[in-house]
Amino acid sequence: MRREGTWNGGPGTPRRGPADQATVRRSNLALVLRHLREHGARSRSAVAAETGLNKTTVTSLASELLARGLIKETGPQHAGAVGRPGLALALDGSGVGALGLEVNVDYIAAFATDLAGRVLLDWRISFNAMNSTPERSLEELAGAIRQAVDELALLGVRVAGITVAVPGLIDTTTGTVDVAPNLGWYGVPVATVLERADVSRDVPVTVDNDANLAALAEFTSGVAAGTPDLVYLTGEVGIGGGIIAGGRLLGGADGFAGEVGHVPVDPSGDRCGCGRIGCWETKVGLAVLVRMVTPDNAYGTHDGMVRDPEERLSEIEARQAAGDPRVTEAVAEVGRWLGRGAATLVNLFNPRVIVLGGYFARLADQLIPVAQAELERWGVAGSIARCSFVASDFGFCAASRGAAGLVVERVLSDPTTVDIRASAMPVPQMSTEGSADPVSHRAKPPR
Ligand SMILES: [Zn+2]
């Protein structure tokens, strides 16, 4: 059974303390919006009674949330036993979208939801970022953002914010990627470049670490949602870790925590994308599996050819089905190193669950038994630590999903980030009933 985690003190959570009037109002708007999101439709009186705000304040806050298109009025509700029926307030947000993107070595992914978490858009395009300049990659990313914003506009959805997930060390205050070794990005001011290109039509762009965003997606709505101590591992060419400890994302002094892929495990091993020797990702990253199993198609060998990771996995599985003995041995080798490296994580953080993302999830049936045995061999607590590997069911969209989740969280924490609609006219509404499911509009750009 799935439980639910919360973003619990994540970025954007409003701080309480001495505050001016505008801050108090923002905080109260957030309180009412979250209350409606968590508890469902209710009258203004009920909101007042349950939040401790006075009725006049709730009425004023509700007017502003209505004007911003974040809530709507629904059918009559009895305010109480003696109250006359009035219109109830409910979370709307179907016209407000949160857009998340991920740039990785071989693809760009886009994911969007409305404020209620309904998926509006979910696609991925192949792109060879490894062999492109940062400028070229940002052009491609800008194009993907424009396309996503246009698709959402066709659904009648205004974009409230955009977060871009990048596999690297990020200065989240400026939206600059300090280092993304597998992309070859050093000091790339992603947010500034995208804002200058006006891809987002004045919508704020933030940048964050892919593994951290994916971990938050898992913690809020994934296979191990609500598990207060979990580690998420990205299974890409690079391996990143998002660590949830005691229900909070572990950031570290600079927000750089979780670079587990660059923990040195073999001093006589291969050179890593970061320039060092024998990092964990040189043992378990997708590039090493591809090189062991399909050396003719190793990363970097066909400069002009862009291959989606799912295509590479299909090829690996096809070779295994055809009886190629290299595949089973290579996957077992990855599984052993996965368990050995995970033992370090268990020794450090004592997680209850390690969620395997990306390509690890697709090969989980083969990887987990080997990795679990190795984990118990190398973890100092052995089987006492009761830590299990589980496969994520978010595929390669966990980071973009988490990126969209971060935008939703920002709106819930500060509803004033969503503009008041032009003359507060109703924006086109999507049906929430019947067969008009916006996911069915999913547009997958041609590869
Ligand atoms: Zn490294």
Side-chain angles (χ1 to χ4, degrees), residues 181 261-263 272-282:
H262 303 288
V263 171
C272 179
C274 74
R276 295 166 186 82
I277 300 288
C279 296
W280 191 30
E281 72 182 40
T282 68

Side-chain angles (χ1 to χ4, degrees), residues 308-340:
D308 188 84
E310 299 272 13
E311 284 174 45
R312 290 182 182 274
L313 288 165
S314 295
E315 188 179 345
I316 288 169
E317 285 166 344
R319 290 203 188 185
Q320 187 169 31
D324 184 341
R326 283 181 301 180
V327 181
T328 306
E329 180 41 43
V331 173
E333 176 71 1
V334 169
R336 282 190 287 275
W337 279 107
L338 186 57
R340 199 175 293 189

Side-chain angles (χ1 to χ4, degrees), residues 13 86 109-110 122 153-154 183 264 270 286 299 307 329:
T13 302
D122 174 10
L154 286 174
L183 299 178
D270 296 329
L286 179 56
Y299 278 86
R307 309 181 83 230
E329 180 41 43

Side-chain angles (χ1 to χ4, degrees), residues 6-7 10-11 102 104 163-172 207-220 230-234 236 239-245 248-260 349 394 398-406:
T6 67
W7 290 70
E102 179 194 4
N104 216 303
T163 294
V164 178
V166 178
L169 306 180
I170 320 291
D171 179 347
T172 54
V207 184
D208 220 314
N209 174 267
D210 65 335
N212 287 349
L213 291 168
L216 287 169
E218 292 292 347
F219 181 54
T220 49
L230 74 81
V231 172
Y232 174 88
L233 295 177
T234 67
E236 323 269 352
I239 304 300
I243 298 151
I244 306 279
R248 299 177 74 90
L249 182 71
L250 190 74
D254 299 301
F256 295 165
E259 286 301 321
V260 298
F349 304 112
F394 290 157
S400 51
R401 182 185 283 266
L406 185 63

